[in-house]
Amino acid sequence: QSGAKIASDDWSLLIDAAFFKIPNKNDVAAIEQGMKKYLPVQNQVREDWKASGFTFISLRENGTQRAMIHDNALFERPDDAAAYGAFISAILILLCCCLNFSNTTVARSNSRLKEIGMRKVMGGTQRQLVIQMLAECAIIVFLAILLSAVINTWWLPQFNKMFLYIDVQANYFHDTVLLLFLAGMFVFTTLLAGAYPAFYISRFNPSSIFRGSVKFGGSNLFSRIMLGLQISISIIGVIGGIAFAKNAAFQNSFDFGYDLRNTIGVTVKDENTYSALKNELAKLPEISSLAGTVSNIGFDYSTKVAEAKGIKKETKFYEVGSDYMKVMNLKLASGRGFNESLKNDYSASIVVSEKFAGLYGWTAQAALGKQIHIDTNYYSIVGVLKDFHPATLFEPAYPVVMKLTREENYSCLIIQTKNENLASVYNTTQATWKKLFPLQPFNAFYQDQLIAESYRVSTAIAKIFSWLAVVTVLLTATGLFALISLTLLKRMREIAVRTVVGATPKDIYLLANKGYFWIILAGTAFGAYTGWSLVKLLLNTIYKINAGVSVSTLIISVVLMIMIALFTTGIRIWKAIRTKPVDLLRIQ
């Protein structure tokens, strides 16, 4: 009974999990050892799931394991996607920014050659120059961290809205872990972005600089490799954005195998409540059908162990009304549904899914008439349902057994209506409830709430990857523009001479891009493969049912990135081509 104290040795109540309050954590090992006496009992009941021992974990440890919280019927923590998607995007953006900073610094280093030469002539050492350049980089990184703190006042509330039960806060003055992370990120980013330019630029000797024999920038191998990595990261972002947007559309139109879109459920307290509400709602022309049930797909079920042919298998067990399968539009693969006029259907008949029949190697037709032992009862299979997806898209489909139950056991009224009338029927149902039961709370739900969270997660990650794509594409474009500008600057005399002797704009374009063609191609190929692998892994980690990464997504991402690269280089080269040869020679 509700509120009654349960005896310490009473294990008859079916529960999801047992929680023990252990004042002294040092006693846990002894308790675990003492629990071994229950192993024979456990293994005798569940021969298909034999245990070797019992382990106690804290609530904090339990909280890190999403599946365990779900099975324990606790309030489920946010999906891992809330962390994985944002974390991966943040790492890729940071890496791209560091590569872009390092790349553009090296590319524009010609303007500092004389400064470096003068400092060395005046007695400056390479060590001093390295420290100076790293300090300059550190200032930029520090200002970037300050700017990020300002942007986070807008970004964090937006991020919290993307996922349920998320409340990320940044306490920059009292969160020790956050401060240590920022300090570590400051040092790491400074070294990643500034170390190579600092050591590379400072190593030249003054005599070579003043003779003019030192010229570097856009054509060095390191700059090209970094450009290739930037292109790869940009493609990863584009693939992620497109793939998760497509996945959201896929989930929104996914066929669950039953009527998910046009269904409303109302929780009822007892048979009288159910009958009174059903009789009133049956008068509404907008409602096509009604059914009562104890268990409802995706919301309520119990887990049972079914035994047949001496083999035990775990299955989900639904107790439903006679019209439930018809109202939910579940299809039969073989046999029949329940008949309330047959007394035996209440006590000894079940309907199973094709997936359940498959557990024992039966076809839909062969499963009919088979005997199944569940708890202390034997049931005969009278019908086999075509497979449907009875869970959210975060979970795989599982085998299902349905048993007919009587009206006095109903706890839910299922309402089937036309989609265009769904909201109005919900409001009408609520008004009817308040008229019939003014002192009872109205507890109802839309059946398609099952996909609401998965759709929200997919849409949120698509937004995160879209931001990643926009930022990395802009960074790549600016880096490519800087490198091509330096390449043209070094080859102005050659371009002027070729123009004078009759070279066409196409010839100049191919000449300037010749050094970047293979690195763009390699970066595109690497980014496409990495993006496909990473996004597919992320989708499979989050969802058991997803759209995957299609070939069209890869093609669109690659073509988009190549077009942006060609357009970026084309703008700069076109400007050089339009310049008169005599002006080009003056620039050189």
Side-chain angles (χ1 to χ4, degrees), residues 452-471:
E453 175 63 5
S454 60
Y455 182 80
R456 182 186 294 106
V457 169
S458 217
T459 303
I461 298 179
K463 289 180 181 178
I464 292 173
F465 269 102
S466 297
W467 277 104
L468 167 65
V470 170
V471 172

Side-chain angles (χ1 to χ4, degrees), residues 489-555:
L489 183 63
K490 292 173 61 179
R491 308 186 73 168
M492 284 301 184
R493 186 180 297 278
E494 179 184 356
I495 292 173
V497 173
R498 286 178 180 270
T499 302
V500 170
V501 298
T504 64
K506 178 182 176 182
D507 296 328
I508 302 301
Y509 186 82
L510 293 175
L511 173 69
N513 272 320
K514 182 173 63 176
Y516 296 98
F517 175 78
W518 291 109
I519 198 66
I520 291 175
L521 186 63
T524 300
F526 179 74
Y529 176 76
T530 305
W532 175 80
S533 302
L534 181 62
V535 175
K536 186 178 179 182
L537 175 64
L538 191 58
L539 280 168
N540 290 337
T541 300
I542 300 169
Y543 304 105
K544 299 304 180 184
I545 306 294
N546 62 74
V549 182
S550 65
V551 175
S552 62
T553 297
L554 295 178
I555 293 174

Side-chain angles (χ1 to χ4, degrees), residues 385-426:
L385 294 168
K386 288 184 178 180
D387 274 335
F388 61 97
H389 194 82
T392 68
L393 297 179
F394 295 119
E395 307 166 80
Y398 43 70
V400 167
V401 171
M402 290 189 176
K403 174 188 173 297
L404 184 64
T405 190
R406 298 187 182 279
E407 188 170 311
E408 60 262 25
N409 298 323
Y410 292 168
S411 59
C412 186
L413 173 64
I414 302 299
I415 305 167
Q416 192 62 237
T417 182
K418 296 178 181 179
N419 194 40
E420 60 267 22
N421 297 321
L422 197 62
S424 63
V425 168
Y426 184 96

Side-chain angles (χ1 to χ4, degrees), residues 80 105 163 233 252 265 286 331 361 422 502 506 513 544 565-566:
D80 292 336
T105 301
F163 302 92
I233 294 172
N252 203 34
E286 301 92 341
K331 307 290 193 303
L422 197 62
K506 178 182 176 182
N513 272 320
K544 299 304 180 184
L566 294 178

Side-chain angles (χ1 to χ4, degrees), residues 182-217:
L182 290 177
M185 188 58 60
F186 170 76
V187 175
F188 172 78
T189 306
T190 299
L191 293 176
L192 182 62
Y196 180 81
F199 285 99
Y200 179 63
I201 297 173
S202 63
R203 68 184 177 88
F204 296 99
N205 61 66
S207 59
S208 298
I209 293 174
F210 291 124
R211 282 199 307 268
S213 60
V214 176
K215 290 185 182 296
F216 54 91

